[in-house]
């Protein structure tokens, strides 16, 4: 993936230290557990049609997704919770699939610079980046232990196109305002406040993709978001009620 030019990198200089303050977590924690069985039992084949639709070679991408999944479940068992322990055995179907199923759609937007709000364990941003979505990503996460995981994963997997900000979105460096063409958020705030925050950082004509469950219709009735955004598509993902809603940023 291509690197962005220097004008797109203000967050990188401020937000990408090399796991500063974090090594003590790894030193005092137990050794990473063997998660091989859990990884083997995942239904990796469900990803292949979506990877083909995103026009990537499934074999190397699945291998990278296996590495990411291994790192996440090891951390989940030995350091701190990133997902529910009940979700470990269905991580691919419950989390990875819901991320990569829309990779082709995000690619079609043409956005190259992306912000992911409330990244947690890196979903959906890391699977999307592994599918070739965008040229640069900024993952915004306010919880320190989760940003430590994100930075360690980025370091271990050599994901040179991803940066991390340990901050609340409303407190993010103002140099990032209007910098991004794409915005993603999964399982964070309700729709209206999410889009209100996203409007600050997304260019006019850019897109926001929000992962929403069965309550999306009720959330959309709070229509203050219509001042800055226009709904222009819905796409069901996974095996449950999750829908990804696409919005286009309007001029102020």
């Amino acid at each position: 993936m291509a690197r962005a030019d220097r004008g797109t990198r203000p967050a990188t200089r401020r937000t990408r230290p090399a796991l500063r303050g974090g090594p003590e977590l790894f030193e005092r924690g137990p050794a990473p557990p063997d998660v091989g069985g859990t990884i083997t039992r995942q239904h990796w084949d469900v990803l292949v049609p979506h990877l083909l639709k995103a026009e990537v070679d499934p074999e190397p991408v699945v291998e990278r997704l296996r590495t990411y999944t291994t790192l996440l479940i090891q951390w989940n068992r030995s350091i701190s919770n990133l997902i529910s322990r009940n979700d470990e055995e269905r991580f691919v179907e419950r989390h990875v699939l819901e991320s990569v199923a829309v990779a082709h759609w995000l690619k079609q937007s043409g956005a190259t610079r992306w912000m992911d709000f409330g990244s947690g364990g890196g979903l959906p941003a890391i699977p999307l980046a592994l599918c070739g979505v965008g040229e640069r990503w900024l993952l915004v996460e306010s919880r320190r232990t989760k940003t430590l995981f994100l930075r360690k994963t980025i370091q271990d997997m050599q994901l040179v196109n991803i940066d991390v900000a340990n901050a609340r979105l409303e407190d993010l460096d103002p140099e990032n305002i209007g910098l991004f063409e794409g915005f993603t958020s999964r399982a964070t705030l309700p729709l209206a406040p999410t889009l209100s925050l996203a409007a600050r950082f997304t260019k006019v004509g850019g897109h926001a993709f929000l992962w929403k469950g069965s309550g999306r219709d009720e959330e959309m009735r709070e229509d203050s978001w219509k001042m800055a955004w226009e709904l222009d598509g819905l796409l069901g993902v996974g095996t449950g009620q999750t829908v990804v809603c696409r919005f286009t940023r309007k001029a102020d």
Side-chain angles (χ1 to χ4, degrees):
M1 300 177 191
R3 288 179 176 268
D5 60 32
R6 291 182 181 272
T8 67
R9 298 292 301 278
T12 304
R13 295 192 299 271
R14 299 171 183 266
T15 61
R16 197 178 180 185
L19 297 183
R20 197 169 293 164
E24 71 278 3
L25 268 176
F26 313 112
E27 291 171 3
R28 70 168 177 259
D34 180 8
V35 300
T38 302
I39 300 303
T40 300
R41 290 190 293 272
Q42 303 288 327
H43 296 290
W44 297 101
D45 56 310
V46 302
L47 304 177
V48 173
H50 303 288
L51 298 176
L52 291 170
K53 191 180 291 187
E55 299 183 339
V56 296
D57 184 351
E59 186 173 349
V61 175
V62 168
E63 190 59 36
R64 298 279 272 164
L65 289 168
R66 287 174 68 97
T67 300
Y68 163 65
T69 300
T70 300
L71 292 170
L72 186 143
I73 294 177
Q74 286 178 340
W75 184 284
N76 205 57
R77 292 183 181 179
S78 60
I79 305 294
S80 64
N81 287 343
L82 298 168
I83 59 170
S84 165
R85 288 294 294 269
N86 293 331
D87 276 356
E88 289 183 357
E89 291 291 337
R90 55 175 187 156
F91 182 74
V92 167
E93 291 178 286
R94 173 70 179 85
H95 296 284
V96 179
L97 177 60
E98 285 193 4
S99 301
V100 304
V102 292
H104 70 287
W105 207 28
L106 273 66
K107 281 186 170 183
Q108 288 169 9
S109 73
T112 59
R113 288 165 295 195
W114 288 84
M115 172 184 284
D116 184 54
F117 168 48
S119 296
L123 298 156
I126 290 179
L128 288 169
L130 293 175
C131 290
V133 175
E135 295 176 1
R136 290 217 67 85
W137 282 83
L138 176 63
L139 279 52
V140 182
E141 172 54 52
S142 62
R143 289 159 291 189
R144 177 176 173 273
T145 55
K146 294 189 176 183
T147 58
L148 286 173
F149 167 75
L150 293 172
R151 287 173 175 151
K152 184 175 189 301
T153 298
I154 289 166
Q155 179 177 286
D156 289 354
M157 295 186 66
Q158 300 181 11
L159 302 176
V160 296
N161 64 327
I162 303 178
D163 299 301
V164 178
N166 181 199
R168 296 173 61 85
L169 189 55
E170 53 268 40
D171 300 327
L172 197 63
D173 192 321
E175 292 182 15
N176 291 288
I177 292 173
L179 185 64
F180 300 90
E181 299 140 356
F183 180 97
T184 58
S185 181
R186 179 178 182 263
T188 54
L189 297 175
L191 186 145
T194 300
L195 289 177
S196 177
L197 291 167
R200 263 189 101 203
F201 300 98
T202 308
K203 292 181 176 182
V204 171
H207 299 281
F209 293 81
L210 307 187
W211 277 245
K212 288 294 171 183
S214 58
R216 65 186 176 277
D217 291 337
E218 182 177 351
E219 291 186 27
M220 285 184 182
R221 292 191 190 103
E222 171 53 60
D223 61 0
S224 59
W225 57 269
K226 292 182 179 179
M227 296 179 61
W229 297 93
E230 179 180 357
L231 175 67
D232 65 1
L234 299 170
L235 184 64
V237 295
T239 57
Q241 296 182 320
T242 303
V243 169
V244 177
C245 311
R246 182 176 68 182
F247 301 86
T248 299
R249 179 74 166 91
K250 300 192 293 188
D252 293 326

